[in-house]
Amino acid sequence: MLSRSQQWLQRFAWFSAAATLCLIGIGGVVTSKGVGMAVPDWPTTYGYNMFLFPVSQWVGGIFYEHTHRLVASFVGLLTTILAAWLFFADNRKWMRLLGVIAFFLVVFQGVLGGLRVTAMKDEIGIFHGTLAQLFFCLICAITFFSSNWWRNVSFRSDEEAIKSAMPWFIVTTSIILLQLIIGASMRHQHSGLAVPDFPLAYGKWWPDLDPASLERYNQMRLDVRDYGNVTAPQIILHMTHRFIAVIILALTAFCFWKSRGLELPLMVRRLVTSWALLILTQATLGIATVLSKKAADIATAHVVIGALSLAWGVLIVIALKRVIWRDVPVELQRQDQLLNERGGQAFAA
Amino acid sequence: MNLKRSLGIMAALAATVQLASAADIIGKVTLKGTPPPEKELPLDPNCGKLHTTKPKTRFYVTGENNGLADVFVYIKDGLTGKTFEVPTEAALLDQKNCEYLPYVMGLQTNQKLLVRNSDPLLHNVHPTPTVAGNKEKNLAQMPKSKDLEFTFPSPEIFVRYKCDVHPWMFAYVGVLEHPFYAVSDKDGNFKIANVPPGDYTVEAYHRKGGKVTQQVKVENATKTADFTVEVAESK
C-alpha cells in the first residue's frame, strides 16, 4: 500500500495529468477556431503582464488564446511542484530524473508556444503540438509509476507470450505518434480541410492533383473562416492520415485480439479494452471532423482523444513491461524492492 | 542647374504626352451560374452590437444584371521592361463594424498601405503574404489608434489580411508593379485609367470564380473589355 504522502503525490500527479489534457484541449480549440495569432505579443498580452490583462478585453479569439496561455502557466506551475515533490520525496533516482525532464519539457514547451506567436512559423506550431502530446504521455507515465499498482504488482504471467506480443503494442503506439505528428501538421497549416468529403476525396478514391484541379478545389472552398489555399502536399498529407488511420484500426484490433490470449492483470486488460474503444472513437471523430466541415468542437475532441490514445498505448507498454518484471533493469528492480521494504516510511512527511 | 531643369521639363513633357495619348479600359464583369448562398458571419457579441442585420460572407457579390463585384482586373502582360513611379498617396484599408473595407483592393509595389481601425474595439492586423520579399506581420491595433503602415516590395495576387481576434475578417490586396488595375464595383463595372497604347493581356481575377483573360489593344480611345466569370461549382 502507498503511504499517505505517496497517496497525495499520486493524486497530485493525476491532477497534473488531467490539467495537461485540458490544456491540450484548449490548444485544440485555439487551432480549430484559427485564433492562435489573436494575441500578437508574447510573453505580454497586448502589452499587459499576462496575468493582469483586463478581463473586459478577453473578447473573440483573444479569449481562447489568452486562456490557453493562462492554463499553460498553471500546468507549468503544477509540473514544477510535481518535479520538486518527486525530487525530495521519491527515492527512485529514475523517477527524480523523470520529474526534472518534465520540468524542462514544460518550460521548453512554453517558450515554443511563445516563439510560435512571435516568429509566426507554422513549423514551430507543429513541433509545439507534437511535444504537447509527448509531455502528456510523460505526466501520465509519472502518475502510473507513482501508483500502488506499479509499486506492488505481484502478478506473474507467461513472460514469453507477453514478450512476443509486446512489439505489436510498441509498433502500434509508435504509429499513433506518427499519426499525431501528421495531424499536428495538418492543423497548424491553417488550411482547414484539405479534403472536404468522405469516404471519397473530391469524388474520387485518389484526388486529381494537377494545378487546374487544385485551383478548382480552392474556388469551391467557401468556409466562413476563409482558410488559405490548399496545396497538393496538404492533400497528400490528408490522404496519408486517412490511410494510417486504417492501419492503426487494424493494428489495435490485432493487439486487442492478441491480448485475449495472454494472462494479464485485470488493470492491463481494462487498459487494452479501453484503448481499443478510444481508437474506435478517434476514427469516428476523424470522419465526423470531415463531415462537419471541421466543426471546432468535433475537431478539438479529435485532438483530445488522439492524445489519450497515445498515452494509453504508452501506459499499456509500460504495464506489460512491469508484468514481465525480469525485463526491468536490475537497478530499477533494486530501487523498487527497497522502496517496498521500507513500506514508504522513508517518504512520510 | 540648367541641365537638371531641362531634364525635368523633358520628363514632364514626356509624361504629359504619354497621358495625352493614354486611354482607359472599361468593362463589366458578369457572373454566369448560380452562386451558393452566402453564410452569416459568426459575430461575437461585441461585433454583433455594431450591426443591425447579420452580415454575410462576400464570396460572390452580384448586382444589376449579374454584375460581379470584387473582381481584380489588371494588365497581366504587355508592360514588360517599363517602370512606374510609386504613388505618393497611400492606399487605405479600414476595419469598420468588424469587417475589412474594401474586401478586395489593389496596390502598387512599395506603395504605402494604411490600415485603420474605425471600430470601438481592438483588432489584430495580420497580413499573410506568401511571395518572397513580402513580410508577414501581426500587429495589435487599439480602437481609434494611429493607422498602421504596410508596404509590399514584391508583386502578389492576393496578399490576404486577416484579424485573428475576429476570425471571419478578411481582405485581399492585389499588389502589382504598375498602376493599371481596378476592382469591379457592386454592379461589376470597372475602369483601368490612363493605359498607354499597346497590346495587353488583361486578366479578371475573382477569388472564387477564377481567372479569365483576354487580349486588348489600346489606342487613343477608350477600350471596352467585358468578362464573364463562372461559378466554380458549375464547371
Side-chain angles (χ1 to χ4, degrees):
Chain A
M1 287 295 288
L2 295 179
S3 71
R4 198 169 173 75
S5 163
Q6 287 168 342
Q7 282 175 5
W8 277 109
L9 173 59
Q10 218 236 339
R11 283 174 197 150
F12 188 78
W14 261 110
F15 182 62
S16 302
T20 305
L21 187 63
C22 283
L23 177 58
I24 289 174
I26 296 169
V29 173
V30 168
T31 45
S32 298
K33 289 189 175 285
V35 295
M37 304 297 277
V39 181
D41 50 340
W42 179 87
T44 49
T45 296
Y46 283 90
Y48 286 88
N49 177 313
M50 188 197 302
F51 304 105
L52 302 176
F53 184 59
V55 177
S56 61
Q57 305 272 23
W58 295 25
V59 294
I62 298 172
F63 174 78
Y64 301 104
E65 170 61 13
H66 188 60
T67 305
H68 183 53
R69 292 183 184 193
L70 292 181
V71 176
S73 304
F74 181 60
V75 168
L77 177 68
L78 291 179
T79 309
T80 307
I81 294 171
L82 182 64
W85 199 332
L86 288 170
F87 195 81
F88 291 110
D90 199 315
N91 75 338
R92 294 171 293 179
K93 200 188 283 181
W94 54 275
M95 271 294 270
R96 291 183 199 166
L97 183 63
L98 286 183
V100 171
I101 291 171
F103 171 75
F104 281 108
L105 262 188
V106 85
V107 171
F108 183 52
Q109 176 71 344
V111 173
L112 271 183
L115 288 178
R116 164 68 189 96
V117 169
T118 54
M120 292 180 281
K121 294 279 180 204
D122 287 342
E123 296 83 353
I124 299 176
I126 294 165
F127 191 36
H128 182 63
T130 306
L131 195 62
Q133 314 273 354
L134 294 173
F135 176 74
F136 177 59
C137 289
L138 177 61
I139 298 296
C140 286
I142 288 175
T143 308
F144 194 42
F145 294 140
S146 309
S147 69
N148 185 48
W149 188 89
W150 170 270
R151 290 173 185 270
N152 299 312
V153 65
S154 57
F155 193 91
R156 289 292 180 268
S157 178
D158 180 354
E159 290 173 21
E160 290 310 312
I162 292 179
K163 274 182 186 172
S164 73
M166 182 89 88
W168 289 103
F169 287 90
I170 293 173
V171 166
T172 307
T173 305
S174 304
I175 294 176
I176 290 173
L177 175 61
L178 174 69
Q179 180 77 327
L180 292 184
I181 294 170
I182 293 172
S185 305
M186 291 160 67
R187 293 174 63 77
H188 286 267
Q189 285 168 342
H190 308 289
S191 295
L193 280 173
V195 181
D197 48 345
F198 181 88
L200 298 178
Y202 293 100
K204 297 183 173 180
W205 287 109
W206 184 262
D208 296 327
L209 297 174
D210 58 281
S213 298
L214 285 171
E215 191 176 344
R216 196 168 59 85
Y217 300 156
N218 282 313
Q219 288 167 9
M220 286 161 58
R221 286 152 60 90
L222 300 172
D223 195 287
V224 171
R225 292 163 286 187
D226 217 359
Y227 296 112
N229 281 349
V230 70
T231 61
Q234 287 171 0
I235 293 174
I236 293 168
L237 200 66
H238 183 112
M239 296 305 286
T240 308
H241 195 64
R242 289 186 184 190
F243 180 66
I244 292 179
V246 175
I247 293 175
I248 290 172
L249 270 173
L251 279 173
T252 313
F254 181 75
C255 287
F256 179 69
W257 173 77
K258 196 94 176 157
S259 73
R260 307 271 294 174
L262 299 175
E263 285 179 61
L264 291 172
L266 182 62
M267 200 279 292
V268 182
R269 259 190 208 296
R270 282 179 178 163
L271 269 180
V272 176
T273 306
S274 51
W275 193 42
L277 290 173
L278 276 173
I279 297 294
L280 264 179
T281 309
Q282 180 68 344
T284 310
L285 282 171
I287 296 167
T289 300
V290 175
L291 297 181
S292 70
K293 308 288 178 208
K294 207 180 173 186
D297 48 355
I298 294 174
T300 302
H302 193 50
V303 171
V304 171
I305 301 296
L308 280 173
S309 302
L310 178 67
W312 245 240
V314 169
L315 293 181
I316 289 168
V317 171
I318 291 172
L320 290 175
K321 201 78 177 163
R322 186 67 175 94
V323 171
I324 48 169
W325 180 237
R326 264 169 278 175
D327 277 357
V328 179
V330 176
E331 172 62 17
L332 204 150
Q333 281 186 45
R334 199 189 62 75
Q335 286 184 16
D336 243 40
Q337 281 164 1
L338 186 68
L339 183 82
N340 287 337
E341 283 164 17
R342 288 183 183 176
Q345 289 170 5
F347 312 116
Chain B
M1 189 68 184
N2 280 342
L3 179 67
K4 269 189 180 175
R5 186 181 291 173
S6 304
L7 285 173
I9 291 168
M10 282 170 68
L13 274 173
T16 311
V17 169
Q18 191 181 31
L19 269 181
S21 60
D24 299 341
I25 300 174
I26 62 167
K28 176 167 180 157
V29 185
T30 309
L31 182 68
K32 185 180 173 187
T34 307
E38 300 291 336
K39 296 166 185 166
E40 283 189 354
L41 299 180
L43 301 182
D44 65 17
N46 289 330
C47 290
K49 285 177 197 164
L50 304 174
H51 290 268
T52 47
T53 56
K54 273 206 161 185
K56 293 186 173 179
T57 50
R58 292 174 278 179
F59 294 124
Y60 290 98
V61 179
T62 51
E64 200 176 287
N65 296 324
N66 264 357
L68 182 61
D70 296 328
V71 183
F72 189 67
V73 188
Y74 68 105
I75 293 182
K76 186 180 183 183
D77 202 12
L79 293 164
T80 313
K82 293 179 182 168
T83 54
F84 300 92
E85 275 187 27
V86 177
T88 50
E89 194 185 347
L92 179 69
L93 178 60
D94 198 2
Q95 295 163 102
K96 205 168 184 181
N97 300 335
C98 294
E99 286 188 279
Y100 274 114
L101 296 173
Y103 183 53
V104 176
M105 65 181 292
L107 189 72
Q108 214 172 312
T109 46
N110 295 313
Q111 182 183 359
K112 277 185 197 167
L113 171 64
L114 298 178
V115 178
R116 183 167 296 163
N117 182 2
S118 299
D119 280 334
L121 37 85
L122 65 82
H123 293 290
N124 74 302
V125 181
H126 186 187
T128 57
T130 54
V131 170
N134 294 336
K135 283 187 182 167
E136 182 176 0
K137 289 181 181 175
N138 187 18
L139 303 169
Q141 193 172 32
M142 295 300 172
K144 315 285 184 194
S145 60
K146 198 179 156 195
D147 293 345
L148 297 173
E149 197 177 300
F150 298 87
T151 52
F152 299 99
S154 304
E156 179 172 349
I157 304 172
F158 291 103
V159 173
R160 182 177 69 155
Y161 269 77
K162 61 186 289 203
C163 170
D164 304 272
V165 179
H166 309 107
W168 60 85
M169 279 178 67
F170 295 96
Y172 295 86
V173 182
V175 183
L176 296 171
E177 286 175 318
H178 59 75
F180 306 115
Y181 58 81
V183 177
S184 63
D185 65 15
K186 64 183 175 57
D187 293 322
N189 299 310
F190 69 89
K191 175 177 149 184
I192 303 176
N194 298 323
V195 181
D199 291 308
Y200 301 107
T201 304
V202 178
E203 182 166 272
Y205 185 3
H206 185 260
R207 286 192 53 249
K208 294 299 168 187
K211 301 167 185 170
V212 186
T213 57
Q214 62 173 281
Q215 297 301 313
V216 177
K217 186 179 182 70
V218 174
E219 293 169 321
N220 292 328
T222 298
K223 189 81 185 176
T224 302
D226 293 329
F227 293 87
T228 301
V229 170
E230 289 184 43
V231 175
E233 285 176 330
S234 66
K235 286 177 182 172

